[in-house]
Amino acid sequence: MLDEPNSAQSPARFRPVRSVRLSEEIINQIARLVNEGRLKLNDRFPSERDLARQWQVSRPVLREAFRVLEMRGAVESRPGGGRYLRSTRVVEPTDMRWSRLEANRDALLRLWEAREALECKLAELAAQRATPAEIDAIGRPLRVVASETPERLRDLDLNGDFHRSIARAAGNPLLEEMLERLLTESGRVGFKDIVGVEDWATLQGEHQPVYDAIRDRDPERARLAMIRHFQNLRERIAG
């Protein structure tokens, strides 16, 4: 039992969670404790209140982590009886993201195909029509990127902010609505969750040439920069 303080072996000690993606850090800690032999099959986890205190997270974050572990068969919740470790193979978030990418690869490639066709035109129109205030809005996510960690970048929706700002600056509400539908679908597929932290920082950096071309009022350069951006996206997930 994990909540018995005087075990013969060193008990599992949960540390406060500091990562921005809190549920993933919880899963990482559980996986590490299992690998070290400090969490064993059929061990009962401490109460939700105790875990929230030890990890210093909210209960919704805690429940999200255990929901993922339950879906993977690593943890079992018993009504009124707490949570138990049901498998010594706890898949870490990186491996989960890879599995999710494999399952969603074709859907993502179709999405990029549709978004590229639309967003290359949006970038071209934005370079022609954007007001100074709209250009400033397009550049705002890039300024935030420069001051944040890669982990924080993935947690924010700067990618969506950047692409929506371009659509708004293009001055065509119908095209803007079409992009919003595609961005919603990207969220449903879970693109943010299957891109690694390092890749996410690189992805944000690819927006700079698009912004520069729009700021310089160069429609053709904006279109080509957006094409390169989507080519890189396809290469990143095509495997």
Side-chain angles (χ1 to χ4, degrees), residues 39-189:
L39 260 176
K40 299 183 182 299
L41 195 64
N42 295 319
D43 273 352
R44 183 179 183 275
F45 286 89
S47 69
E48 199 170 88
R49 169 189 265 179
D50 285 345
L51 286 174
R53 176 182 55 79
Q54 292 183 59
W55 275 316
Q56 295 181 13
V57 299
S58 67
R59 292 194 179 187
V61 168
L62 187 68
R63 290 166 186 161
E64 171 61 18
F66 277 108
R67 183 188 66 81
V68 173
L69 291 169
E70 288 171 20
M71 288 174 60
R72 293 280 169 170
V75 169
E76 177 187 6
S77 290
R78 300 175 186 172
R83 296 183 175 96
Y84 293 79
L85 186 70
R86 300 303 297 161
S87 171
T88 55
R89 185 176 182 273
V90 179
V91 181
E92 297 187 10
T94 299
D95 297 323
M96 291 180 188
R97 285 197 297 270
W98 180 253
S99 297
R100 193 170 183 184
L101 173 58
E102 288 294 316
N104 291 287
R105 190 189 307 277
D106 290 344
L108 282 168
L109 289 172
R110 287 193 294 271
L111 267 171
W112 296 156
E113 188 174 77
R115 284 186 57 184
E116 181 180 355
L118 175 62
E119 294 198 56
C120 288
K121 185 62 178 179
L122 287 171
E124 189 177 342
L125 291 173
Q128 295 171 334
R129 300 174 178 175
T131 66
E134 288 169 338
I135 291 176
D136 183 71
I138 295 168
R140 191 172 300 123
L142 303 181
R143 294 192 292 274
V144 174
V145 165
S147 62
E148 294 288 356
T149 65
E151 291 85 357
R152 179 66 174 160
L153 294 182
R154 194 176 63 182
D155 192 63
L156 298 171
D157 191 21
L158 297 177
N159 182 66
D161 292 345
F162 179 77
H163 289 278
R164 287 183 180 94
S165 296
I166 292 174
R168 200 167 300 116
N172 187 319
L174 292 176
L175 295 179
E176 186 178 352
E177 182 180 347
M178 290 169 64
L179 175 65
E180 189 58 44
R181 290 175 60 188
L182 291 173
L183 289 175
T184 299
E185 183 64 14
S186 293
R188 189 191 66 77
V189 173

Side-chain angles (χ1 to χ4, degrees), residues 10-22:
S10 174
R13 309 274 302 183
F14 298 107
R15 297 173 296 164
V17 176
R18 302 300 184 195
S19 170
V20 173
R21 296 191 73 80
L22 300 176

